[in-house]
Amino acid sequence: MASMLKTRFPFFVLLAMTLSVLAGICLPVNGVDLHAQTAASDAAETGKNSEGTEFWICFQRNYRDFDVDRDNNPIKRTDELELNLFLTAKQNALVAIEIDGIAYNREVNVRAGTVVNVAVDSAAQLRGSDEIERLGVHITSDVPIAVYGLNRRFQTTDTYLALPVNVLGTEYMAMCYDKLSSELISQVALIATEDNTVVTITPSTATAGGHPEGEPHKVLLQEGDVYQFNAAYDRRTRSDLTGTLIQADKKIAVFSGHNCAHVPAGTRACNLLVEQLPPMHSWGRHFFLGTLANRSTSTWRVLASEPNTTVFEDQKKIAVLNAGEFYEKRNFSENTQIKADKPVMVAEFAQGFQNGDSIGDPMMIIVSPSQQFRDSYLIATPVDGSWQHYLNIVMPGEGTSSLRINGRNIPQREFQRFGRSSYFIGQFQIPLGTHLIEADVPFGLYSYGFGLQRDAWDAYGNMGGQNFGVVENLPDSLAPAVEGLPAGDSLQVLIRDERPFDRGLQKVDIVSARNLSVELPGVESGAPLLEAGVTAIKANVFGRAVMRAVDLAGNVADFSICYRYDPVEGKYSFVVQDGATADCSPEKLRYWGAYANLSFNAWTADFGGTGEISTPGRFGDASGMGGVIGGLVGMQLTPKLGATARLSIDTYGGELLAPDSLTTLTPPPDRRVVQEAGVLTLDNAWLSLGLSGEYYLTDRFYFTAGVQTSFALGSGVTLKRRILTPSGLVYSESNENEFIQYEDGLGSIAPIRLALTGGVGMTYPIVPRIKAFVELRRTAFLTDVVDDADWGQSQTNINFGARVQF
């Protein structure tokens, strides 16, 4: 065993229509997102990806066939070796599999949307070093398929995503790991896809077959030949083939890793590491490494293909590498962005279970560069049994709402921001089987899993796929992007140049500053990110700064940082805008609201008749309650001044009383004195439209004054005769002390009335952007209720409602 035993509702219609019109006047114009970027990867060669119709693969040595004693003598046969292919397709496929060296031939049918597991004879495992074996596995299909290889012994497992022949290249570099013992050591295998293929190998360390470090040697291969070589064991060195250069005159497939490695070195237990390598022409400069589910730490390596390659971890320069050199971070526990100024290859390694979390064991994943992201992946989980399978998905923030896994939309809340970048990462557990992952933007994906129960302390991982076009020479034509993040009384400004074909920042300058202090660190040429800090020198006083960012391709971004009053929050705040001449004037706070209206009506009257009605007495002053509902829209023009339009429906309560000046006597024998009166009430409602200004004492208290026009929605009145004295006397007509004398429309009702309004108000925040409010308002009407009599009115209103601010 490779590992020791190892211990996750009609007035209201009118009201709504009017308010809609008013609101439309006040609605803001949708802004253009000046930071939106065209997906540069559209320019990439997307016809080449990890699905294809022809593959050449192999199975490298997994651990060893026999456990050995301290003297390296075989003592017992190790656990049974399992070699498997996992095949999946979007449509029905007929697949042929051949291994010439062991006379293996098989045809399988793959039903669309399923995964088929094909067992391969263990004799297909490569066992030699620095020798040619006829063990190339040739896979052909009548339609494009995805292929995964599984190489497994008990508790030593890894998988790889096979790459079709049409994406292969002629130049590669190996990614491996440090020695563990003389037998457990780094290894590389290469397969010819055509006859008479000449391969030149320049090892980064001596090989077990006697080829010295740095000295090229050639190998002649025929189609299907596999040439595997191991590092020579040396106690004084890592004995690591990472960086080994492999060049051929025809397309070849290359696999590398380790037959059982500790990761990091000295952390138990060991596990097989294997990936099929992408050709160097498909390497990239920008990578996102996510943490692994349930694991505390991981390890990563970045390998350079050209001299003087500068490498950044997030915004920090960490290394300058020559061709074939690598940088390793043994332990990382946070999502990490890797950026280089020249093409590199990046691998992420799970660690041995003894790193402290007691989960899984080592495995290796070649991480796809953002330049090669795709918008669709067909993957299969290539291990069955007691396993938990996961996906790590990295994508630009604007694309997270479009992700679909097997047709199911994934909520945006499942993603978190990838550090300080504009990208986001989601981590998803998936079941065994075939999965189609799609989005509206290119994204990156890799899959992995950890064993449970009998399969505990085991692991696998592989890239989920990518494009394989030549992308290095595509231009960087996008200027740096800027984002501001409030941080208390200051602002963090993030200046990014991290999209797929961005080459990094060159410099950032302060063009001007007024009442703002800008803390601007130095720029490491090529860095994908720079963080600047901005504070106001004098609080609650307008400030502005202009900055300029230039990237290595000469693209320029000018932007303004404004420190201005925010009427929504009721305080000064920062905002970042594109351009050196951006408008920094305060935002216009807009709001709409609704309220209930309770009114006290005071009537002043001196008339005995109007329109169709008359009474012996004269109507005098009266009062009464009324009111219904209203709505408003408004805008705060300055920190102290605002304007509001209101629309309301009101009823006017109260009775106007006109006592008769003459009295009568009741019939004998009582002969009581009788006094009657006319009683007038209004039966109609009024639609009022008002415009008012508001002066804000504070963000919660304000004065209001304005004008109002009221429109009669009817002319109905009721005139009654009522016995005032004596009490208890009733009319024979109604058997009550009053009867209706007139109930109909009144032709003298003024159709339009003008008024002046004024009052005070107070708001109180309920939730962000919604405030409750109460107002005490006085309305003085300038015109009478009727056109032919002295009938005046004033109102005191109490309004209760809520405002929505935007």
Side-chain angles (χ1 to χ4, degrees):
M1 161 166 30
S3 308
M4 62 180 285
L5 185 58
K6 311 166 190 176
T7 358
R8 196 176 164 254
F9 156 156
F11 296 144
F12 291 104
V13 173
L14 179 59
L15 173 63
M17 293 174 63
T18 307
L19 284 174
S20 298
V21 172
L22 290 171
I25 295 172
C26 296
L27 284 174
V29 178
N30 290 331
V32 177
D33 182 1
L34 297 176
H35 303 311
Q37 304 294 334
T38 302
S41 57
D42 288 347
E45 188 180 359
T46 57
K48 295 183 175 182
N49 56 63
S50 50
E51 297 170 34
T53 59
E54 182 183 16
F55 302 78
W56 279 102
I57 66 168
C58 66
F59 292 97
Q60 291 187 270
R61 189 159 64 96
N62 184 343
Y63 193 53
R64 51 195 172 202
D65 292 327
F66 289 87
D67 280 328
V68 298
D69 61 19
R70 292 188 177 183
D71 297 322
N72 211 33
N73 296 313
I75 55 175
K76 71 179 181 69
R77 180 173 290 277
T78 56
D79 292 285
E80 182 181 354
L81 177 66
E82 298 176 35
L83 305 179
N84 294 83
L85 296 173
F86 288 79
L87 313 175
T88 189
K90 295 177 182 176
Q91 50 188 314
N92 294 335
L94 177 61
V95 181
I97 306 164
E98 300 177 78
I99 309 172
D100 182 62
I102 60 173
Y104 180 97
N105 289 275
R106 185 171 176 185
E107 281 193 353
V108 294
N109 288 293
V110 180
R111 188 161 49 88
T114 66
V115 58
V116 173
N117 178 358
V118 180
V120 177
D121 193 315
S122 62
Q125 178 188 226
L126 303 175
R127 288 176 167 82
S129 177
D130 294 79
E131 63 181 65
I132 299 172
E133 301 177 78
R134 293 291 295 166
L135 293 176
V137 182
H138 193 207
I139 304 168
T140 56
S141 174
D142 58 344
V143 296
I145 59 173
V147 177
Y148 296 83
L150 167 69
N151 192 330
R152 180 181 189 180
R153 294 187 193 269
F154 179 60
Q155 295 186 339
T156 174
T157 302
D158 205 1
T159 64
Y160 58 83
L161 173 67
L163 307 181
V165 169
N166 69 308
V167 308
L168 300 180
T170 60
E171 196 167 18
Y172 297 80
M173 272 189 188
M175 180 69 76
C176 303
Y177 210 75
D178 300 354
K179 67 177 185 294
L180 178 53
S181 70
S182 60
E183 285 189 285
L184 306 181
I185 203 159
S186 64
Q187 57 188 9
V188 179
L190 45 97
I191 311 170
T193 67
E194 299 181 43
D195 287 338
N196 300 315
T197 299
V198 178
V199 184
T200 303
I201 303 167
T202 306
S204 61
T205 190
T207 73
H211 297 285
E213 173 187 342
E215 292 191 12
H217 65 278
K218 297 182 184 293
V219 178
L220 176 64
L221 301 176
Q222 305 304 317
E223 183 186 49
D225 283 350
V226 185
Y227 181 79
Q228 177 171 269
F229 58 96
N230 297 338
Y233 178 79
D234 187 334
R235 293 182 182 273
R236 300 164 299 175
T237 69
R238 290 186 175 202
S239 300
D240 182 358
L241 288 167
T242 298
T244 293
L245 179 62
I246 302 134
Q247 299 166 299
D249 60 352
K250 299 180 176 70
K251 285 184 177 183
I252 58 172
V254 179
F255 296 75
S256 73
H258 198 291
N259 56 10
C260 205
H262 282 173
V263 180
T267 301
R268 300 171 73 181
C270 81
N271 207 7
L272 173 69
L273 305 177
V274 60
E275 281 279 64
Q276 182 169 1
L277 300 179
M280 289 174 62
H281 72 253
S282 67
W283 289 15
R285 304 186 309 269
H286 187 208
F287 302 80
F288 293 94
L289 283 73
T291 59
L292 300 176
N294 302 320
R295 300 306 306 267
S296 56
T297 55
S298 301
T299 296
W300 54 261
R301 282 183 171 186
V302 54
L303 174 64
S305 65
E306 299 181 22
N308 299 314
T309 298
T310 302
V311 181
F312 293 86
E313 178 185 2
D314 296 320
Q315 65 198 76
K316 177 184 176 183
K317 183 168 76 174
I318 55 172
V320 177
L321 303 173
N322 286 319
E325 292 182 343
F326 67 90
Y327 175 90
E328 178 178 349
K329 185 160 187 175
R330 290 170 59 93
N331 296 288
F332 84 100
S333 56
E334 295 182 352
N335 298 326
T336 301
Q337 179 180 181
I338 302 295
K339 174 76 169 61
D341 64 344
K342 297 172 183 176
V344 295
M345 180 167 64
V346 175
E348 182 174 353
F349 301 83
Q351 296 184 342
F353 83 98
Q354 280 194 350
N355 71 342
D357 51 34
S358 298
I359 296 172
D361 248 347
M363 55 80 171
M364 180 172 72
I365 300 170
I366 299 297
V367 181
S368 301
S370 65
Q371 294 92 339
Q372 300 283 20
F373 284 0
R374 302 185 62 198
D375 58 11
S376 176
Y377 297 83
L378 178 68
I379 70 161
T381 47
V383 184
D384 56 6
S386 299
W387 288 76
Q388 289 181 331
H389 308 280
Y390 297 94
L391 299 177
N392 276 13
I393 294 177
V394 175
M395 60 181 6
E398 67 268 21
T400 54
S401 63
S402 70
L403 182 68
R404 303 173 299 281
I405 299 179
N406 299 325
R408 182 176 68 88
N409 290 324
I410 304 301
Q412 285 183 280
R413 64 176 179 270
E414 298 296 328
F415 286 85
Q416 60 177 335
R417 186 183 288 272
F418 203 102
R420 288 297 196 184
S421 81
S422 60
Y423 283 72
F424 284 70
I425 182 170
Q427 198 170 84
F428 307 96
Q429 185 171 351
I430 58 173
L432 181 72
T434 298
H435 305 279
L436 180 61
I437 302 96
E438 303 169 289
D440 294 344
V441 300
F443 61 97
L445 176 151
Y446 50 93
S447 64
Y448 57 95
F450 300 112
L452 303 172
Q453 301 172 10
R454 182 186 181 278
D455 295 315
W457 307 294
D458 207 349
Y460 79 90
N462 50 257
M463 70 160 69
Q466 65 171 61
N467 290 324
F468 288 91
V470 180
V471 299
E472 173 55 22
N473 295 325
L474 291 175
D476 172 8
S477 59
L478 302 177
V482 183
E483 181 181 10
L485 300 177
D489 295 328
S490 62
L491 178 73
Q492 279 188 308
V493 180
L494 304 179
I495 305 162
R496 303 190 182 102
D497 201 60
E498 60 174 14
R499 292 147 308 200
F501 297 95
D502 286 345
R503 295 187 174 270
L505 297 169
Q506 181 183 62
K507 62 179 181 176
V508 179
D509 297 321
I510 303 168
V511 178
S512 63
R514 170 187 172 188
N515 192 38
L516 293 182
S517 174
V518 182
E519 182 181 348
L520 185 63
V523 181
E524 288 278 8
S525 180
L529 171 70
L530 183 72
E531 294 187 44
V534 181
T535 57
I537 298 172
K538 291 183 179 181
N540 302 326
V541 175
F542 174 83
R544 176 192 181 107
V546 176
M547 299 178 67
R548 170 170 290 179
V550 183
D551 66 17
L552 286 174
N555 301 302
V556 178
D558 291 329
F559 58 96
S560 300
I561 302 168
C562 308
Y563 179 63
R564 65 190 187 187
Y565 181 75
D566 182 347
V568 174
E569 299 294 335
K571 62 181 182 181
Y572 276 79
S573 63
F574 292 95
V575 64
V576 178
Q577 299 195 89
D578 260 11
T581 59
D583 183 8
C584 279
S585 57
E587 287 283 343
K588 304 297 189 291
L589 172 68
R590 298 168 174 85
Y591 54 85
W592 62 270
Y595 58 88
N597 174 19
L598 179 64
S599 64
F600 176 80
N601 297 279
W603 304 104
T604 57
D606 186 14
F607 66 93
T610 177
E612 292 85 355
I613 64 173
S614 63
T615 185
R618 299 187 69 80
F619 293 103
D621 297 351
S623 62
M625 305 299 294
V628 183
I629 194 172
L632 56 84
V633 294
M635 176 188 297
Q636 189 168 340
L637 305 173
T638 73
K640 291 295 184 180
L641 296 175
T644 301
R646 299 167 181 265
L647 189 67
S648 63
I649 294 176
D650 300 279
T651 59
Y652 300 156
E655 297 178 336
L656 270 67
L657 192 67
D660 293 353
S661 58
L662 301 174
T663 60
T664 60
L665 299 177
T666 62
D670 334 348
R671 300 190 63 81
R672 288 180 291 173
V673 175
V674 178
Q675 184 178 27
E676 297 176 275
V679 181
L680 182 62
T681 58
L682 291 168
D683 297 337
N684 63 309
W686 300 77
L687 177 68
S688 298
L689 175 63
L691 296 173
S692 60
E694 294 180 349
Y695 177 78
Y696 306 102
L697 295 174
T698 69
D699 62 326
R700 292 191 182 182
F701 295 92
Y702 59 92
F703 289 120
T704 178
V707 296
Q708 175 180 296
T709 302
S710 298
F711 303 88
L713 297 178
S715 60
V717 297
T718 298
L719 176 65
K720 298 178 181 180
R721 291 293 290 172
R722 180 182 296 169
I723 299 173
L724 299 180
T725 61
S727 63
L729 190 64
V730 299
Y731 291 108
S732 61
E733 295 95 328
S734 63
N735 202 32
E736 296 179 353
N737 72 332
E738 64 181 18
F739 70 93
I740 296 174
Q741 184 176 357
Y742 181 87
E743 186 176 33
D744 204 344
L746 187 65
S748 59
I749 291 286
I752 302 175
R753 304 176 65 211
L754 300 179
L756 298 177
T757 64
V760 296
M762 179 182 74
T763 63
Y764 188 84
I766 304 173
V767 297
R769 297 188 176 271
I770 299 180
K771 290 183 178 182
F773 73 92
V774 59
E775 294 176 326
L776 180 64
R777 294 167 57 87
R778 181 75 172 169
T779 303
F781 285 88
L782 303 179
T783 55
D784 289 317
V785 176
V786 293
D787 294 329
D788 59 354
D790 182 8
W791 184 357
Q793 178 191 7
S794 63
Q795 274 185 323
T796 300
N797 304 90
I798 301 177
N799 299 330
F800 304 90
R803 295 182 176 186
V804 179
Q805 302 179 149
F806 54 93

